[in-house]
Every structure is written in C-alpha cells, then in structure tokens.
Amino acid sequence: MRVVVLVKHVPCALRGMGFGADHTLDRAARRGQLNEPDEYAVDQALQIALRRRDVQITAVTMGPAEAVGALRKALILGADEAVHVLDDRLHGSDALGTARVLAAAVGRLGFDLVLSGSASSDSGMSAVPAMVAELLGVPVLCFADLLRVREHKVEIGRDDGAGLQAFAVALPAVVSVTERCGEPRRPTLAATLDAHHKLLRTWSLADLGLADGDAGVATTVVRTVTARPGGAEHVVLADAPEVAAIRVADFLAAHQFL
C-alpha cells in the first residue's frame, strides 16, 4: 500500500507578520516548522504501517528551500521518503494552485491513500484536501476523528457534536484528519538519526508537467491588503483561584468553546 502524506511548512507564529510588495505574506524573516495538524496525518500513516507490512509512506510538500524542514520532521516522525516540489514560480500560490501541484506530485508517485491534516495553521481554509481529491478523481473524507484502513476501503469516524458518525469509501481516496484521531508518538533518537539516511527528492513544475499559469501569483492577484485592527484587550483575573476558574468557564461557555 502506498500512502502519501501532504505536509506544509508554516511560520512558527503569525503575529507581527507583514506582506510583500505583491501583497503576499512575507515569510522570509520568520522561522518555520511542520504544520502541527500534519503531524497527526504522518502519525496516522505510521500506525497503518505498523498494522501492515506492505506500506510505503511518502511525505510531500511544496514551497521554498526552507520548506525542506517540514519534510525532515515528517521523516523523523515515520515517513519512509519525501518529495519537495521546489520552484520559484510557486510563490503566491492560492489553494487551487497548491492543489494542482500536490495532485500532480501524488499522481506521479502513485497512491492508494492520501492523508493530510485538516487545516494549515497559517490559513485554516481546509479546502486543499478536497481539491486534491477532485483533481485526482477519487473520493474524499474530511475531518476524520477516527481512521481505519481496510483491504479495499477506508473508514472514518467524525464527531458532529451529537456523536461519532461513520463514513466509508473505496480506495484509493483522500482523507484529512483532526487532532482528535490520536496524539502523535514522540520520535526516538534512533528515528531522528535514521531520518538523515532516507530518500528526499526535489521536483520542479516542469517535472510535474505543469505550466506557469497552473500555480503561483498567476492564479490569483491580490489588489490590496488592509491591516487587521488590534485584538481585544487582555483581561487579567485577580480573583481567588476557585472564583477565577468559574469566570473562565462562564466565558468559554458564553462563547461556545465548551
């Protein structure tokens, strides 16, 4: 079974980030990391591999040279190999452009199952997995809180607030997973050292048979950017611990966080 995990390199923190002259997010001066939701996807792929002997896990990302850091983390977490789509023309890609590139990479690799996190921490659109599935012509299951892979199908459970709802589709398929599917395992020192010896390939748009207009700033033009107003002022509770706990709980309930 060939499992492809889509991962993304995202800024460690978004506060204080600005925009470049072309109105795209300026990521150059900000340290990045593997998108946290994608760690769950890699771990789910690893759990599938632990239950089956025929599983090959490939992590795929697209982005600038720094994005290789996300792939190296995925290799440490359990991926067998990685592919980095690296091309200057990828800069400024929107969700559809991103999906085109990832789908082309997945199609070139071959796949039985594509996994991803449910959203990226720097945009939160949650649209790319469904777009990739559409471009590949396979079914998609999004926001999986529980994942089971059978011989010829994949099953998920999704908590809709009233209970766990079950869904299943035939393989090949695309599935996005949430953090409720299980905490990722901590990598061992041996896994960290072994990751340095795993295959990491670099592909360009030309390698994928894609043209300039398939991704990058050519797909979406941002005319203007308006800065967001400052957030609400912070409230510091000076009450006794038991009173402060009640106030926090009331606040969370009033804003439907509980």
Side-chain angles (χ1 to χ4, degrees):
M1 167 177 276
R2 182 132 204 171
V3 180
V4 179
V5 185
L6 307 179
V7 302
K8 187 176 183 181
H9 186 255
V10 298
C12 290
L14 294 178
R15 183 179 296 274
M17 291 194 69
F19 295 88
D22 58 358
H23 301 310
T24 60
L25 198 61
D26 183 8
R27 302 169 183 265
R30 191 61 60 96
R31 188 167 60 89
Q33 63 184 11
L34 173 62
N35 181 48
E36 185 177 353
D38 296 338
E39 294 188 20
Y40 292 86
V42 176
D43 188 71
Q44 287 299 302
L46 180 60
Q47 292 192 40
I48 295 170
L50 293 175
R51 293 191 291 268
R52 301 174 56 136
R53 295 185 177 182
D54 63 337
V55 176
Q56 174 83 3
I57 304 171
T58 305
V60 175
T61 196
M62 58 175 278
E66 296 78 16
V68 74
L71 291 177
R72 297 199 185 282
K73 180 65 178 293
L75 292 172
I76 291 173
L77 292 175
D80 298 305
E81 61 176 12
V83 172
H84 183 189
V85 183
L86 175 63
D87 198 302
D88 290 341
R89 293 170 293 176
L90 294 174
H91 172 74
S93 293
D94 60 5
L96 180 56
T98 298
R100 286 185 182 130
V101 174
L102 294 177
V106 171
R108 186 180 185 191
L109 285 166
F111 68 101
D112 297 292
L113 178 64
V114 178
L115 297 177
S116 75
S118 57
S120 61
S121 61
D122 59 345
S123 64
M125 291 182 65
S126 302
V128 169
M131 290 179 171
V132 169
E134 177 71 17
L135 292 167
L136 292 172
V138 300
V140 61
L141 295 171
C142 296
F143 305 107
D145 299 321
L146 177 68
L147 176 65
R148 291 192 183 96
V149 177
R150 309 298 188 185
E151 189 64 27
H152 300 292
K153 66 178 180 179
V154 57
E155 302 170 347
I156 73 161
R158 183 189 301 144
D159 189 351
D160 63 357
L164 203 63
Q165 302 294 316
F167 302 89
V169 296
L171 294 171
V174 176
V175 177
S176 70
V177 301
T178 73
E179 71 280 359
R180 292 183 290 274
C181 66
E183 191 70 22
R185 305 179 185 207
R186 292 183 178 274
T188 63
L189 176 60
T192 302
L193 296 175
D194 185 52
H196 293 285
H197 304 287
K198 293 180 178 179
L199 178 63
L200 199 164
R201 288 173 282 179
T202 301
W203 291 346
S204 66
L205 286 180
D207 292 326
L208 299 177
L210 297 176
D212 292 356
D214 292 324
V217 292
T219 58
T220 298
V221 177
V222 180
R223 300 295 184 189
T224 185
V225 175
T226 303
R228 291 180 59 183
E233 62 180 271
H234 297 84
V235 177
V236 178
L237 301 179
D239 308 285
E242 58 273 15
V243 176
I246 293 173
R247 291 184 62 187
V248 169
D250 289 343
F251 174 86
L252 294 175
H255 291 78
Q256 298 182 345
F257 291 119
L258 293 178

